[in-house]
Amino acid sequence: AALPALVLGAGLLVAAWRWLRGAARPGRGGSMRGKTVIITGANSGLGRAAAAELLRMRARVIMGCRDRARAERAAREIRAEVGERADGAGELVVRELDLASLRSVRAFCHRVLQEESRLDVLINNAGIFQCPYMKTEDGFEMQFGVNHLGHFLLTNLLLGLLKNSAPSRIVVVSSKLYKYGEINFEDLNSEISYNKSFCYSRSKLANILFARELARRLEGTGVTVNSLHPGIVRTNLGRHVNIPLLAKPLFNLVSWAFFKTPLEGAQTSIYLASSPDVEGVSGKYFGDCKEEELLPKAMDDLVARKLWDISEVMVGLLK
């Protein structure tokens, strides 16, 4: 009798925890009608949750995804969840975008610039987490290539449209794990050594430094740039993490109890994309829809500028 009682008690505590966490979640912002939003990696996890919420707010949402079939399936599911609006407001569009290929990034941006008259929000959300050592199509270490360089090129190629659509916003999804990263200019491509955890943290630190330097460069343009961490979220981002078979039931219980759902994790992205509270706010770092302090290494402007200059050469914006 003791064991069922213990399980029941734990279940009630978990339920209470989840209810309180959900109650603390901020509500959605106002209407996004007439606004166009690009979200990278929008077919699952945080990106999918953000796409659904912004569609509910009547935005035109462009899902930039590597796997077109999975993205189309996700789009159909989102449309079914949100429901079609009689007034036609809100639209979901799927476009192929592989951030591990600079060729794909350029093709995606070319199509956007040909077809879209405006771009109000760019959410750099897609990411790869602690994968084994592998390289992108262009020879970059995968995590640095996808999480930083792919988004670096994407953002730069869309800057003109964002400026023409001002006031507009750029939202960069980073991670608290940036704290364990360092920018090693002697081995950015991990040719000398590779540690999958360190390299993920480095790519997330690069995201924050990129957002900071971009915000500086965009002062006075009407385009704001902010970075964020979503917290610990139950997504497929951890598919490369090996959990022992016997530990999986416990891990699943803990993640169900204490990790955020994708919708909860996406709240800060949605907030920075839509809330009037952050109109004109730029160069900041957020968590749980509040501004947070950064470690000094994430505010090093000299490192941020050097990283920018090197990234420009790596992606071919400068020879």
Side-chain angles (χ1 to χ4, degrees), residues 249-264:
L250 178 60
F251 175 81
N252 291 337
L253 177 62
V254 169
S255 66
W256 180 83
F258 299 107
F259 290 11
K260 292 180 178 180
T261 66
L263 179 56
E264 290 166 344

Side-chain angles (χ1 to χ4, degrees), residues 191-211:
E191 301 282 357
I192 299 172
S193 66
Y194 179 73
N195 177 290
K196 63 182 182 179
S197 299
F198 168 80
C199 286
Y200 177 76
S201 295
R202 178 167 65 188
S203 72
K204 294 290 105 178
L205 175 58
N207 288 158
I208 296 171
L209 292 167
F210 163 61

